[in-house]
Amino acid sequence: MTTARAYAATSATDPLVPTTIERREVGPHDVLIDIAYAGVCHSDIHTVRGEWGPIAYPQVVGHEIVGTVAEVGTDVTAHKVGDRVGVGCMVNSCGECENCQAGMENYCLNGNVGTYASKDRDGTITQGGYSTSVVVNDGFVLRVPESIPYEAAAPLLCAGITTYSPLAHWNAGPGKRVAVVGMGGLGHMAVKIAVAMGAEVTVLSQTLSKQEDGLRFGAEHYYATSDESTFEKLANTFDLIINTVSAPIDLQQYLSLLRLDGTMVSVGAPPEALPISVFTLMSKRRSYAASNIGGISETQEMLDFCAEHNIAPEIELIKAEDINTAYERVLKSDVRYRFVIDSATI
């Protein structure tokens, strides 16, 4: 066993505090990573505050991880010491079910192992990236292209793949009108990626406060959803809507913006159930769906796509001692657009 410095939640209500955790010994198929940067995702906050169900404390979260390979197991061939690598939202899966065999480990029929707050194959609870090191099965370690700025790469491992996967699956591209609901950590990545894919992109945000940013990222249109006339103007407009908001919204309003055979996909996950009317779907053969990150091969595809198109998240680099303040700012939407922890400060 090795030890790592970390920041952990000790309860659903107390602030995160410095601690020391143990990492398993490097096995034949393991990679030890010295973490350089870790992104702060809204999912981290939902988890430590018990909003997605009870968890075991103390808990270290963080599933947007980049760092350098420090050691590899005897059977590891894809990675070597010194490589720049990343780890996303999962660190293992059964590898045997039809979804895993198809490269969609995120939909493992036996349940994949999350990077944190998940029961690992040895029965221990996984601890995440708000730490100085992590040991991960080599099949779940990604190559981070050198052209992606190191400190900005971490959010791609969640925010990047979470938006890339549905955009790719529902064929965002030339001739497609795509709307992005919300201009936060996920939303700004959805805009950048959809634009790079060639789609005509519209941002739907509560206010116009981030309009200048949205247009700078490549969106052609930007509307405030607090203005009721927005929904009248844009009725029957979009082929695809990516909803990045992790809070309840009026689904009926947004579904009415879809064209014939259009699809709305939620990638944000509010704790509350959202009501939906079949008649809104039936009237234009619309679809409502949700999407959950992506498999390992698709995540690598996303990283390579971002490198090719010079896409990187907009970040605010923070020290570990500022994590709790960052959480409060995330909840107030006071970040443009992703906090990233400098792991050297842990």
Side-chain angles (χ1 to χ4, degrees), residues 15 20 25-26 114 147 157 163 167 181 191 214 230 240 242 244 263 280 288 321 338:
T20 299
E25 291 183 2
V26 176
S147 61
L157 278 304
T163 51
L167 286 168
V181 181
V191 171
T230 290
L240 178 63
I242 304 295
T244 71
T263 301
T280 307
Y288 178 67
E321 64 190 37
R338 204 66 155 185

Side-chain angles (χ1 to χ4, degrees), residues 157-179:
L157 278 304
C158 176
I161 185 58
T162 296
T163 51
Y164 179 90
S165 185
L167 286 168
H169 181 75
W170 275 277
N171 301 310
K176 292 292 183 72
R177 294 179 179 177
V178 175

Side-chain angles (χ1 to χ4, degrees), residues 5 44 46 48 81 93 100 186 204 234 272 305 318 324:
R5 300 188 306 278
D44 303 342
H46 284 307
V48 300
V81 173
S93 71
C100 285
L186 290 174
L204 303 175
L234 300 179
E272 304 90 343
F305 178 90
I318 62 171
N324 294 298

Side-chain angles (χ1 to χ4, degrees), residues 1 54 64 129 138 186 238 280 286:
M1 305 287 283
E64 299 179 341
D138 64 332
L186 290 174
F238 301 109
T280 307
R286 298 166 172 134

Side-chain angles (χ1 to χ4, degrees), residues 183 188 191-192 195 212-219 314 337:
M183 258 286 284
H188 90 290
V191 171
K192 289 188 175 190
V195 168
E212 184 177 339
D213 285 349
L215 299 179
R216 178 166 56 88
F217 299 153
E314 307 290 315
Y337 282 87

Side-chain angles (χ1 to χ4, degrees), residues 96-149:
E96 299 175 354
C97 71
E98 60 179 317
N99 291 350
C100 285
Q101 290 292 308
M104 294 184 289
E105 301 90 347
N106 50 316
Y107 299 119
C108 176
L109 294 175
N110 295 303
N112 65 61
V113 178
T115 305
Y116 60 71
S118 186
K119 184 177 287 188
D120 210 341
R121 298 300 181 216
D122 62 2
T124 61
I125 301 299
T126 54
Q127 303 290 334
Y130 295 6
S131 57
T132 53
S133 68
V134 65
V135 178
V136 182
N137 178 281
D138 64 332
F140 290 80
V141 178
L142 287 305
R143 177 183 52 82
V144 177
E146 293 290 335
S147 61
I148 299 175

Side-chain angles (χ1 to χ4, degrees), residues 4-52:
R5 300 188 306 278
Y7 264 69
T10 58
S11 76
T13 55
D14 291 324
L16 276 64
V17 295
T19 189
T20 299
I21 59 174
E22 290 186 336
R23 296 298 194 186
R24 68 173 182 265
E25 291 183 2
V26 176
H29 290 281
D30 284 336
V31 176
L32 170 63
I33 301 168
D34 288 336
I35 299 174
Y37 300 100
V40 175
C41 178
H42 202 152
S43 300
D44 303 342
I45 302 173
H46 284 307
T47 299
V48 300
R49 298 192 174 181
E51 294 171 351
W52 285 350

